[in-house]
Amino acid sequence: MSTYALTDSWTMTRRELAHWARQPVQLLVGLVFPVMLLLMFGYLVGGGRGVTGDYLDYLVPGMLALTMAFGLEGTLLAVTQDLNKGVIDRFRSMPMTNGAVLVGRSIADMLQSALGLAVLIGVAYALGWRAHGSPGGFLGAVGLLLFFRFAMLWIGIHLAMVAGKPELVTAVQILVWPVGFLSNAFATPETMPGWLGTVVEWNPMSHTATAVRDLFGAPGGAPGHTWAAIVWPLALLAVFFPLAVRRFGRLSK
Amino acid sequence: MADPAITVEGVRKKYGGKGGKVALDGLDLQVTRGTVHGVLGPNGAGKTTLVRILSTLLRPDAGRVEVAGRDVLTHAREVRFRIGLLGQHAALDEELGGRQNLEMFGRLYHLGTRHARVRADELLERFGLAGTGRKPVKQYSGGMRRRLDLAASLISEPEVLFLDEPTTGLDPRGRAEVWDSVRSLVGGGTTVLLTTQYLEEADQLADRIAVVDGGRVIADGTADQLKSLTGADRIDVTLRDADQLGAAVALLPVPEDAVTVDADRRLLSAPVTDRMTALSSVVRALEETGIEAEDIALRRPTLDEVFLHLTGDERASDPRVKEAV
C-alpha cells in the first residue's frame, strides 16, 4: 500500500511532465512571463529612478516572491481543468492511492517553480544583479521562496476544489494582481500612505521578500524576518492543506 | 441467482440537501454473472447516478450495494480492482496519446511498467487503434475516443464492466463499432451493466433489461418478457392509399380507440388476442370493402411500445425516445 502510494504519485508526476513535453510553449510562456515583468519594472518603471544596482538589488527578491505568488494561478487552473475532465472519474474508480493526483500536481508545480526561479535568477544575473550574501544564505533564500510557493500551491488546490469552475480561475487571475502588488515587491512600505504601508507589511509575500533580501544582502532586508517567512506559509499550510485533502476525499459525496 | 455480480437493494440518493432532487428512490436490481443487463430509461431517470454509485464514485444515502461480492462502501478499494467504467464523457487524458493513456492507467492498476506496456499494445491492437502513435486523444474522432475509453476500462480485465450510455453522441458508424466491441466482450465472461436511452441498443445487446423511471426499476426481464407486458401481439396493416385510413380503422377487430394510426407510413396498428382469427378477419374485411393493402403483418410489440406503455404516454413527446425508435 505504502509502496503503491509512491509509485502512484510518481505515475501522476510523470503525467504532468508528459503534459510539459506536449505543450512546451505553455511551459515556456510561464517561464518568460516573470522575466518580462522583471524587465518592465527594472527598466520602464525603475528607469524613472535610474536603474541603479541598488534598485535591481531591491527588485529581484520582490520579483522572485511575486513569481511564487503568481504560481497560485497555474495550480488553480490545472486543478480546475483536471476536476472538470472525465479523466478524474477514471482515476477515482481505480484502485490507486487517493492523494496521488494531488501529490503529482504538487511535485510538478514545485519543479516548474524551481525552474522559474532558476530562469529569473539567471536573467537577473545577466542584467548585472548579484547576490551579496553567503552561498548558505542564497540556498536559504531559495528555500524560503519555494516554501512560500508550496503554501500558494495548497491554497490553489483548495480554491479549485471549493469552486471547481473555470469562471473562478478568471476571477483569481485578476485578483492575484492587486494582492501581488500590495506587497513590498516593487517599493518599500515607507514610501506609501500609512494605512497602505500597514496592509503591505501584513502581506505574507512581503515577509518572504524581506527575508530573501536579507539573505541576499540587499537593501530592504531585515534580519528578523526569516522567521516570519517561515511562520506565514506554515500558517497558511496549516489551514489549507488539511482543508484541501479533506475536500478531495469528500468529492464522492 | 445464487451469486449475483451486482446486488442493489433499496438504494436512495438525493442531490443538494433539503429540497434537493431525488435521483434514486429505493432502487433494487440484481445482475447475474456473465450476463449483459441493460438499464433503460429516459434522461433524469437515475441511470448515471446508479452507475456512479456502483463504480464507487458516489455514496448512496441509503441502501446496500454489492459489486463482485464486495460492499462498495466498506470495500471500495477491492471493488475498484474488479470493475471497469466507461462513463458518458470520455475519461481520458486528452493531451496524451492513446498508448500513453493506457500505459498510465495500467501502472495505476499496479501492473508494473513492463506489463502495463504490453497490455497497452494488446488493447490498442484489439480496438483498432494500433496506428494512432503519439497523436493526442483530443484529435481523435468520437468513435476512436470511445474505443480507447473502452480499452482503458478493460485494462485490469474487470469482472464487472459499467457502460454508461456508451453510444450517446456517436454517429451510426461509431455506434456500430462500440456495439461490436461490447458483443466480443460478453463472450469472455465479463458481466456488463449497460445504461441507455436507446431501446434498440438494449434490445441488441442486453440479456435482461431493467426499465428505470423516477429513480426506481419499474420493470425487469428479458426483452421478450417485457414485450409481453403490454399484453397482446399486434397486427400492422399498411394501406396503399392514406385517404382510406379512416375507413380501414373500423375493419380491425378491436375498439377504434385501441388502433394507432401513422398517416405518414399509411399504417394502422392494433393489439390482437387471437393471431390467426384476427388475420383472416382483416383480410376478409379488406376484400369486402375493396380497400387495398400493401402489407399485413403480425408481430410482437416493439420495445419502444413497451417503454411508452411503462413510463406513461407523456414520454412520447420526449424527442430522445422518438429518435431511438
Side-chain angles (χ1 to χ4, degrees), chain A residues 1 4-5 7-12 14-19 21-23 26 81-82 85-98 100 249-253, chain B residues 13 52 55-59 77 80-81 83 85-86 89-97 100-101 103-110 113 134-136 138 149-150 152-153:
Chain A
M1 170 91 191
Y4 285 138
T7 53
D8 288 351
S9 300
W10 175 231
T11 302
M12 295 313 291
R14 277 177 64 177
R15 169 177 178 243
E16 301 301 337
L17 300 184
H19 286 171
R22 291 279 182 168
Q23 307 272 1
Q26 207 172 319
Q81 283 176 345
D82 249 3
K85 279 181 188 155
V87 72
I88 201 85
D89 276 353
R90 181 164 311 284
F91 290 143
R92 292 183 51 243
S93 72
M94 291 171 63
M96 61 186 281
T97 313
N98 260 336
R250 252 198 341 191
L251 275 177
S252 62
K253 280 284 160 66
Chain B
K13 180 69 192 178
R52 291 182 72 81
S55 54
T56 75
L57 293 177
L58 197 66
R59 292 173 158 270
R77 203 177 147 78
R80 287 173 187 160
F81 269 111
I83 61 170
L85 170 65
L86 181 69
H89 306 288
L92 299 165
D93 191 318
E94 306 260 319
E95 305 292 329
L96 304 181
Q100 272 180 310
N101 265 286
E103 275 188 46
M104 171 176 71
F105 294 130
R107 282 196 301 269
L108 292 172
Y109 274 113
H110 308 146
T113 307
R134 279 179 51 82
K135 185 160 94 166
K138 61 182 174 190
D149 212 6
L150 188 58
S153 55

Side-chain angles (χ1 to χ4, degrees), chain B residues 227-228 230-237 249 251-255 258-260 268-283 296-301 305:
Chain B
K227 284 172 185 172
S228 63
T230 47
D233 289 349
R234 301 187 71 91
I235 187 163
D236 286 353
V237 181
V249 166
L251 305 180
L252 294 173
V254 292
V259 180
T260 40
L268 298 174
S269 176
V272 293
T273 40
D274 187 331
R275 297 160 58 99
M276 294 325 288
T277 314
L279 183 60
S280 56
S281 82
V282 169
V283 171
I296 302 175
L298 283 165
R299 63 171 176 86
R300 309 271 287 139
E305 283 158 341

Side-chain angles (χ1 to χ4, degrees), chain B residues 34 38 56 71 91 125 134 158 180 200 250-251 262 305 322:
Chain B
T56 75
D71 189 299
E125 188 68 40
R134 279 179 51 82
D180 285 344
E200 190 195 353
L251 305 180
D262 182 340
E305 283 158 341
K322 279 221 171 118

Side-chain angles (χ1 to χ4, degrees), chain A residues 184 206-215 217-228:
Chain A
N184 63 10
S206 299
H207 293 296
T208 299
T210 305
V212 169
R213 284 183 183 118
D214 177 44
L215 292 168
H225 265 273
T226 303
W227 66 266

Side-chain angles (χ1 to χ4, degrees), chain A residues 136-204:
Chain A
F138 183 87
L139 288 179
V142 170
L144 287 180
L145 287 164
L146 288 176
F147 188 49
F148 178 61
R149 172 69 181 94
F150 193 61
M152 293 296 113
L153 189 125
W154 285 94
I155 295 178
I157 291 178
H158 178 69
L159 286 179
M161 278 188 295
V162 169
K165 297 201 177 59
E167 296 89 301
L168 176 91
V169 177
T170 316
V172 171
Q173 276 173 335
I174 294 167
L175 277 175
V176 293
W177 285 90
V179 173
F181 279 58
L182 278 175
S183 70
N184 63 10
F186 307 102
T188 59
E190 289 90 66
T191 63
M192 304 171 189
W195 62 271
L196 192 61
T198 312
V199 172
V200 163
E201 275 172 2
W202 272 88
N203 189 333

